[in-house]
Amino acid sequence: MENTSVGGDVFFVLMGAILVFAMHGGFAFLEVGTVRHKNQVNALVKILADFALSTVSYFFVGYFIAYGTHFFISAAGLSGAVEGFELQGLSLVKFFFLTTFAAAIPAIISGGIAERMKFAPQCFATVALVGVFYPLFEGIVWGGNLGIQAWLEASFGAPFRDFAGSIVVHAVGGWIALSAVLLLGARTGRYRPGGGMTGIPPSSIPWLALGSWMLCVGWFGFNVMTAASLEGVSGLVALNSLMAMVGGILSALLAGRNDPGFVHNGALAGLVAVCAGSDILHPIGALVVGGAAGVIFVYGFAWCQNRLKIDDVLGVWPLHGMCGAWGGIAAGIFGAEALGGMGGVSLASQVIGTVMGVVYALAAGAVVYGVLKSTTGLRLSPEDEMRGADLSIHKIGANPEAEIRGV
């Protein structure tokens, strides 16, 4: 009976890991549809290469920093013969699951720095961020490291709650991306010397939409299967994720005046925001949280691009950074029993944890990308940027046969 129970948990977590892994395809196609045609191959290669680099750096370094566990023992030990590793490799599929979360950090950043970032420096940044900087914060929130969660609970009645990563994954990724984008600078020709802005339309709305759909489907693995066991799984998380998603779609539809880019990203904004409190919110509360996130994304994107002149190509700072921060705070508001939530959450802890994540991410991004800028440089040359990252970096375009015929 014990083996059957463990086997069920192994399969459950494995399916969650596969669903979140599939989300990385969503990241890729969301970027493919948003960037210009000459940068589509680069978008695909970046996301896949970043996932591979993330897995290796997290396996050898990052997971140990976050949870104090290493894999330098026999295969039998890894499968449960040694204390600290669960039977039938349950610990191993949990690692796989958490790796897909860690790899979301460079996948998020990729959308902000698209179309003008060198390839090798981004690879170096991925290794540093996923191997060191991300797991340091992950270990504080989910591993209980440094006693910060214990201090919050003792001081305010509850630790910082981030059930599925509004802050740990999304806000951290989004605010690191802001540092990277500021250091990198805008795409050539994006902003005119007199203050105007050159419109750069998406290359493919269908590819953009496909990316959004892939992310939405995988997100139910991201949120629901964070429970990490069949015994702990909750249908409330699934319903809250659904309600937040549709809330984000509808509010972005209205605020964005039917713009398809806003609508498809609105779904993601709602899902980003609900991660933190998806296990404690009432579904109506989740709908409100997601709806607010859709509005935050639409107006945050316009403010970022038009007022601040920050060329964040996919809007990852407003989508993951702003909406993630909103989700962390919203869990402390709508998770309260007075608003129909499950309780067991402190608004003060949520605000402190959220601010801590934002400040840490900005600093981490400034350090990593600042060092790379001063050593290897970050940007493609003006000539390579004009030519496009596909031909400049990968020596092939998105439609090689058609391009050859066109010569």
Side-chain angles (χ1 to χ4, degrees):
M1 290 297 293
E2 181 182 0
N3 287 343
T4 301
S5 175
V6 173
D9 288 345
V10 170
F11 185 75
F12 175 75
V13 177
L14 176 60
M15 290 301 100
I18 291 170
L19 281 169
V20 184
F21 176 49
M23 290 176 69
H24 289 264
F27 282 119
F29 283 107
L30 190 70
E31 185 171 336
V32 165
T34 306
V35 299
R36 287 168 287 186
H37 188 269
K38 62 184 179 180
N39 297 299
Q40 289 181 329
V41 171
N42 181 243
L44 294 168
V45 174
K46 272 193 305 179
I47 300 296
L48 192 60
D50 280 342
F51 188 89
L53 290 166
S54 296
T55 300
V56 172
S57 56
Y58 195 63
F59 180 86
F60 284 105
V61 182
Y63 196 69
F64 179 77
I65 291 174
Y67 302 106
T69 299
H70 65 78
F71 300 96
F72 300 107
I73 60 174
S74 69
L78 294 174
S79 296
V82 171
E83 185 178 353
F85 286 90
E86 297 169 275
L87 293 174
Q88 296 179 238
L90 179 55
S91 299
L92 306 185
V93 291
K94 287 180 179 178
F95 163 79
F96 180 14
F97 185 69
L98 288 170
T99 297
T100 61
F101 278 50
I105 299 296
I108 290 168
I109 296 167
S110 176
I113 61 176
E115 300 202 305
R116 75 274 200 203
M117 178 82 180
K118 289 181 179 179
F119 188 69
Q122 178 53 23
C123 291
F124 295 142
T126 293
V127 171
L129 291 169
V130 179
V132 179
F133 288 91
Y134 167 77
L136 280 171
F137 189 75
E138 176 192 17
I140 289 172
V141 177
W142 290 339
N145 298 346
L146 303 182
I148 293 176
Q149 287 284 44
W151 172 76
L152 287 171
E153 185 172 10
S155 301
F156 304 106
F160 173 60
R161 178 181 289 273
D162 190 5
F163 180 71
S166 286
I167 302 300
V168 174
V169 178
H170 297 288
V172 166
W175 289 86
I176 289 175
L178 175 60
S179 288
V181 169
L182 291 173
L183 287 166
L184 187 60
R187 288 168 289 178
T188 301
R190 176 59 165 159
Y191 299 108
R192 302 188 191 99
M197 184 172 68
T198 302
I200 301 178
S203 60
S204 172
I205 296 299
W207 282 130
L208 184 158
L210 175 65
S212 175
W213 276 102
M214 290 177 69
L215 284 162
C216 287
V217 172
W219 221 297
F220 288 88
F222 196 98
N223 284 1
V224 175
M225 291 169 172
T226 290
S229 69
L230 289 170
E231 183 179 2
V233 70
S234 169
L236 181 64
V237 177
L239 182 55
N240 283 341
S241 300
L242 177 65
M243 296 300 282
M245 182 187 75
V246 299
I249 292 169
L250 295 174
S251 64
L253 178 68
L254 294 173
R257 300 182 180 181
N258 305 328
D259 182 281
F262 284 141
V263 172
H264 286 91
N265 278 286
L268 308 181
L271 287 163
V272 164
V274 81
C275 287
S278 57
D279 63 328
I280 59 170
L281 301 180
H282 187 280
I284 297 175
L287 181 66
V288 174
V289 170
V295 174
I296 289 170
F297 173 72
V298 171
Y299 288 101
F301 184 84
W303 181 59
C304 170
Q305 299 284 337
N306 303 334
R307 294 290 184 88
L308 300 181
K309 299 292 191 294
I310 297 173
D311 191 15
D312 177 352
V313 180
L314 268 68
V316 298
W317 175 42
L319 178 61
H320 297 274
M322 294 182 189
C323 293
W326 158 242
I329 295 170
I333 300 171
F334 293 94
E337 291 184 35
L339 292 177
M342 298 281 285
V345 65
S346 161
L347 180 57
S349 292
Q350 294 306 115
V351 171
I352 292 170
T354 298
V355 171
M356 182 173 64
V358 168
V359 172
Y360 178 80
L362 279 171
V367 169
V368 172
Y369 286 94
V371 169
L372 288 169
K373 183 174 183 177
S374 64
T375 53
T376 65
L378 296 177
R379 287 190 71 115
L380 293 170
S381 69
E383 296 77 17
D384 284 344
E385 184 182 347
M386 184 64 65
R387 190 182 183 203
D390 293 357
L391 295 179
S392 298
I393 297 173
H394 308 290
K395 313 306 178 188
I396 193 168
N399 301 102
E401 187 179 9
E403 289 159 7
I404 290 171
R405 286 200 302 266
V407 174

